[in-house]
Amino acid sequence: MPAAHENVTKEIVIERLKTVNGPDFTGNIVDLGLVSEIFIADAKVFFSITVPAARAQEMEPLRAAAERVVKAIPGVAGAVVALTAEKKGGGMEAPVPQRPAQRPAPPAAPARPMPQAPASHSQGKRGVPGIEAIIAVASGKGGVGKSTTAVNIALGLAANGLRVGVLDADIYGPSMPRLLNIRGRPQTVDGKILKPMQNYGLKVMSMGFLVDEETPMIWRGPMVMSALTQMLREVEWGPLDVLVVDMPPGTGDAQLTMAQQVPLAGAVIVSTPQDLALIDARKGLNMFRKVDVPLLGIVENMSYFLAPDTGKRYDIFGHGGARREAERLGVTFLGEVPLEMGIRESSDAGTPVVVSKPDSAEAKIYRDIAAKVWHRVNEERGAAEAAVPSIVFE
């Protein structure tokens, strides 16, 4: 019997996509020229749909409909469909408020981390004893691979010789128990302080350890902040060089309050190449700038696709958008991660690529990104110390 993916062709996919109406029910998305090049690998179908940037949110049902009809094709094992916007008029031309002391991107960092950063001295924010630096990994929207990026950066930092913890701040959709293959409930010290869970050399705390995965989290803002505060400050983290915080997706009140109250050494923004994701990423950048949190840089996830059979590169969702945006804003571009099914599958299986395939090209990408992140933390720390005036008594 032939393999399932041999039965799936671009022609079949195109015919099915012709059943999906275009915006405002004018024609179909194929005849309107909105569908990108279609790529099929291992029975999975990849393509993007071009829509007006200003109407991105209302176009989500169109994207979902296209994904649904493709997944229904016999032999298709999965589909990755993204919305993208044309560069011209895509909303990227508007200037972005610059952080006053923002410096241009530094030269490439060395492969190994810099010396340990000193403890946080964020103004008006109480530090966490034993933790030298706290880094937020954030995104302006969901679905860009933020948590997978966060966990592999954390493992990259550990592989580079640092003592690392991970705080899963996504109260509504905690993913660290699954990504790091950790089960069970944390123990307590004297019935008050929680002991973090551990795997792969990381200390981890997540709401997913405290409630069942299927339990819906219907919490108000103050309850969310109370839970986050407890997971940050009422946990026996011990000495850590860095705590990586996997932030909730988006830029709502919970994210802003977290950025205001936690002494963050800096933030990493995760985006995908297409314009719409970059517009959302800019919201994340601006949120951290409002509360004067240093921007450590941007990671472009799902940057390109390498065909598993030929090794040929395909820029299905566009390419280089995050790098160009980083350069335009004077923010460090930390690196690009390919759209590699193995990265997602290994993460879903609880064996992230940095530990399951440490010698792979993908693992090296994450280790290099982690080294650049730590380099930027030290750079920001040095700048903050230099900015503090010294008082001389004569």
Side-chain angles (χ1 to χ4, degrees), residues 25 41 67 82 97 99 131 200 223 237-238 250 258 269 272 274 292 308-309 325 336 338 349 362 381 385 391:
F25 300 98
E67 185 175 90
R99 194 166 149 251
I131 299 178
Y200 305 130
M223 298 170 65
W237 290 108
M258 181 87 174
I269 303 294
T272 48
Q274 65 266 29
D292 202 34
D309 49 351
E325 186 72 354
E336 51 189 31
E362 293 79 19
R381 283 286 182 256
E385 288 184 345
I391 301 174

Side-chain angles (χ1 to χ4, degrees), residues 121-143:
H121 299 292
S122 299
Q123 224 174 18
K125 301 176 185 178
R126 184 163 57 94
V128 180
I131 299 178
E132 298 292 331
I134 303 176
I135 296 170
V137 178
S139 62
K141 59 176 281 189

Side-chain angles (χ1 to χ4, degrees), residues 32 69 81 136 138 140 208 211 225-226 236 250 298 320 356:
L32 289 170
V69 299
V81 185
V211 299
M225 286 315 303
S226 175
E236 191 182 61
I298 299 177
S356 61

Side-chain angles (χ1 to χ4, degrees), residues 49-190:
I49 302 171
T50 302
V51 298
R55 302 180 60 188
Q57 288 188 329
E58 64 180 282
M59 292 296 123
E60 171 57 24
L62 183 149
R63 187 206 66 80
E67 185 175 90
R68 191 163 54 247
V69 299
V70 171
K71 283 183 175 179
I73 298 172
V76 169
V80 177
V81 185
L83 293 177
T84 188
E86 292 180 359
K87 192 70 178 175
K88 186 177 181 181
M92 298 300 291
E93 298 82 1
V96 179
Q98 293 284 328
R99 194 166 149 251
Q102 188 69 29
R103 285 168 301 285
R112 299 298 294 174
M114 299 291 286
Q116 293 179 9
S120 174
H121 299 292
S122 299
Q123 224 174 18
K125 301 176 185 178
R126 184 163 57 94
V128 180
I131 299 178
E132 298 292 331
I134 303 176
I135 296 170
V137 178
S139 62
K141 59 176 281 189
V144 300
K146 170 187 56 63
S147 294
T148 296
T149 302
V151 76
N152 278 295
I153 287 177
L155 289 165
L157 289 164
N160 288 344
L162 299 177
R163 298 167 297 179
V164 184
V166 177
L167 172 60
D168 186 352
D170 193 348
I171 295 292
Y172 298 101
S175 55
M176 287 303 153
R178 173 173 50 84
L179 294 178
L180 288 167
N181 194 26
I182 303 176
R183 292 174 176 79
R185 297 279 189 263
Q187 297 178 336
T188 63
V189 182
D190 298 331

Side-chain angles (χ1 to χ4, degrees), residues 263-330:
L264 295 173
V268 173
I269 303 294
V270 181
S271 181
T272 48
Q274 65 266 29
D275 295 351
L276 295 183
L278 290 169
I279 293 167
D280 287 305
R282 192 192 295 167
K283 296 176 186 175
L285 290 168
N286 285 334
M287 179 187 74
F288 287 110
R289 279 182 170 150
K290 284 179 183 176
V291 291
D292 202 34
V293 171
L295 297 169
L296 302 178
I298 299 177
V299 175
E300 183 174 85
N301 197 32
M302 307 182 201
S303 182
Y304 54 90
F305 182 82
L306 291 178
D309 49 351
T310 64
K312 185 177 178 181
R313 173 173 171 151
Y314 293 84
D315 295 329
I316 299 172
F317 304 139
H319 176 66
R323 183 188 292 274
R324 289 190 297 271
E325 186 72 354
E327 290 173 353
R328 193 176 73 83
L329 300 176

